[in-house]
Amino acid sequence: MNLTKSETFTNDGVTGSASYPNSGTNGTTSSAKATIGIVYDAATKTYTITNGSRSRAFAPGTLDGALSNSKQNVFKIVNGSTTDTLALNKPGTSGALTYKYVGAGFWQRTTNGSSNTSGTFDAFTYGVETPDAAVPRSGNANYSIDLQGTAAYLDEPTSILGAGNMLVRFDTGAIDISGEANETIVRTGMTNGPFGFFGSALLASNRNSFAGKLTLNHLGGLVDSGDSLFGRFYGPNAEEVGAAWFLHTVDGVSAAGTITGRAKASANLNNPASYLIDDAHTLESEVDSNGNLLTFLGDTARYYPQQFQVGGSGFAFRISDPFRSAQFVSGDRVAAESNATYSVYKNTAGGVTNKLKLFNSGTANPAIKLTYSSFGIWTDTRSGSAAGRFENVERYFLYGQPTDQQFIPTSGSASYGGIVVGTGYGSGGATQNIYNVGGTFQLGFNFADGSFNGLMNGNLRNVNGGTLMDLPEFSLSGQNTRFGRFAGQLSGTGSFGGFSGGFFGSNLDEIAAIFQTGANSPFDLNEQLFLQGAILGKKCPSSAAC
């Protein structure tokens, strides 16, 4: 925060203390919630911090350039055997520790006595609070958080620094915290970790305030019986969050610190990210130089893609399976094959042509407007079994921002509707054919028992043109795993297959799945179809069908 006027800040604060005998025997520690005063005087640019009978004013002349860095301003005052330091996180709009609306502060006082060394540590968060009426009361949000603090063991102190995530369900007020941190011994500079930290809290129903507990896994059992985490949201619309925490263990270790964070950016599947692929299917064939089907070879599970990366050093997209990988730069985009629905990338190297076809997310896609989910088709073509024959491996895969399992309900129902897209391979008839598959689907979920069922109505047309023909109606059924994912059966007249996918978006806004099935051909009674593709849908306004 950049301060331009005098202000007394409301805050959430905690305190800790420790005393270590100079003899080297074990010391004593404590930690607790604290009422801390934070006053800024704009005329003198001085911060005054108060906790009970302790108080210290830090003027600009006490700023220590050697201790300060890009993340913190550190003030230092030495008075005889007592040293006071005040560390205030600097303002910023991105990156760790620096925030626009919330700040974290740490006041430490150390006194070197003749028989012992003692100290106090006060941690607090403060800033531009979100008005009570502006705190959301519906929906969910994720915050990227930083954890800072100090732990006082019986023999010496350590500093703690970590990062994680805060999940806030504004509709119920439930808050879940998780992450990892490292611990550094102050005396030696040796760092240990990472270790996990976890917490939970409850947002007040009528004001901007929450309270709960925080656990640092490596510190063992806690003796605190009540709340030990206190915080609130900051910014006009709860863009940031701040909290102070303390704990005391059965082994005599005390700790205190802060959590600060900012809401994660709105979903954008074009932002750099790395996706582990859970749902994919691959079919292999041999084609001629024009892409016409010569021989259908079937399912090739060993080529299922495993990871898809968007954006990175020297590439726009990278995808890999257990045996092969491909990388694309922005210059590989094929304008003639790209449109509002798909973006297509292609390159050739070492006799292998790789092609990536991505379904565009966003409101400009005329097929369906998706925010959190998408799919891609990765095809690689290389020399086949004989001259003039080329191995063609086509992979369908999902990617996006899946619904966290904590948001999957255990009661109620929901319906989804959307589109079907895919590829069909026809063999056994008078000719070998490749088809484009389209259609629509409806799917209803019962969250109480985890079941779901629906229908898929598809059609196909030869990739070289021709008549659009309807496929037999397929029924969809299966079981929701309660972890944001589902799998089921796809069946119809003369056909049986399967599909798997999941929910996307924090409010189960969308679903997507990959399917594969056999089917009778509407073009040739002797032709057997092998289909694979994706279903993409959005939640219907009510539990009834869209």
Side-chain angles (χ1 to χ4, degrees), residues 314-340:
F315 66 89
F317 305 99
R318 178 182 289 164
I319 189 165
S320 60
D321 65 27
F323 299 95
R324 299 175 180 177
S325 64
Q327 184 169 293
F328 303 86
V329 299
S330 57
D332 291 329
R333 188 175 187 274
V334 184
E337 298 182 39
S338 301
N339 50 42

Side-chain angles (χ1 to χ4, degrees), residues 172-197:
T172 65
I175 297 174
D176 294 292
I177 299 166
S178 62
E180 289 187 336
N182 292 300
E183 185 175 37
T184 301
I185 300 173
V186 175
R187 175 177 54 85
T188 65
M190 180 181 296
T191 297
N192 300 310
F195 57 83
F197 64 85

Side-chain angles (χ1 to χ4, degrees), residues 387-514:
R389 301 178 71 91
F390 299 89
E391 178 193 42
N392 188 71
V393 179
E394 181 189 62
R395 310 160 178 86
Y396 276 76
F397 63 93
L398 299 181
Y399 69 99
Q401 298 183 353
T403 303
D404 190 279
Q405 67 183 58
Q406 298 181 74
F407 297 147
I408 304 300
T410 56
S411 62
S413 61
S415 294
Y416 293 80
I419 65 170
V420 178
V421 290
T423 305
Y425 294 84
S427 64
T431 59
Q432 307 291 308
N433 299 288
I434 301 178
Y435 299 96
N436 291 321
V437 177
T440 60
F441 80 95
Q442 294 281 338
L443 201 56
F445 289 83
N446 182 333
F447 294 113
D449 62 15
S451 65
F452 61 85
N453 58 78
L455 296 173
M456 185 176 90
N457 295 284
N459 55 62
L460 74 166
R461 189 196 306 269
N462 196 293
V463 295
N464 295 318
T467 305
L468 181 71
M469 297 287 285
D470 289 333
L471 288 164
E473 186 175 71
F474 296 96
S475 63
L476 310 173
S477 62
Q479 198 73 16
N480 171 20
T481 65
R482 300 191 188 280
F483 294 103
R485 298 181 45 72
F486 52 81
Q489 296 77 45
L490 185 153
S491 58
T493 303
S495 62
F496 186 82
F499 65 101
S500 64
F503 298 94
F504 292 80
S506 60
N507 291 308
L508 293 80
D509 310 83
E510 301 166 3
I511 63 170
I514 297 295

Side-chain angles (χ1 to χ4, degrees), residues 345-418:
Y345 300 81
K346 186 187 296 185
N347 58 46
T348 301
V352 179
T353 296
N354 279 287
K355 179 178 179 180
L356 182 65
K357 186 175 183 180
L358 299 176
F359 189 82
N360 296 326
S361 62
T363 58
N365 195 317
I368 187 171
K369 297 171 175 57
L370 299 175
T371 302
Y372 306 98
S373 58
S374 188
F375 82 97
I377 310 168
W378 169 31
T379 306
D380 76 84
T381 306
R382 62 188 70 203
S383 297
S385 60
R389 301 178 71 91
F390 299 89
E391 178 193 42
N392 188 71
V393 179
E394 181 189 62
R395 310 160 178 86
Y396 276 76
F397 63 93
L398 299 181
Y399 69 99
Q401 298 183 353
T403 303
D404 190 279
Q405 67 183 58
Q406 298 181 74
F407 297 147
I408 304 300
T410 56
S411 62
S413 61
S415 294
Y416 293 80

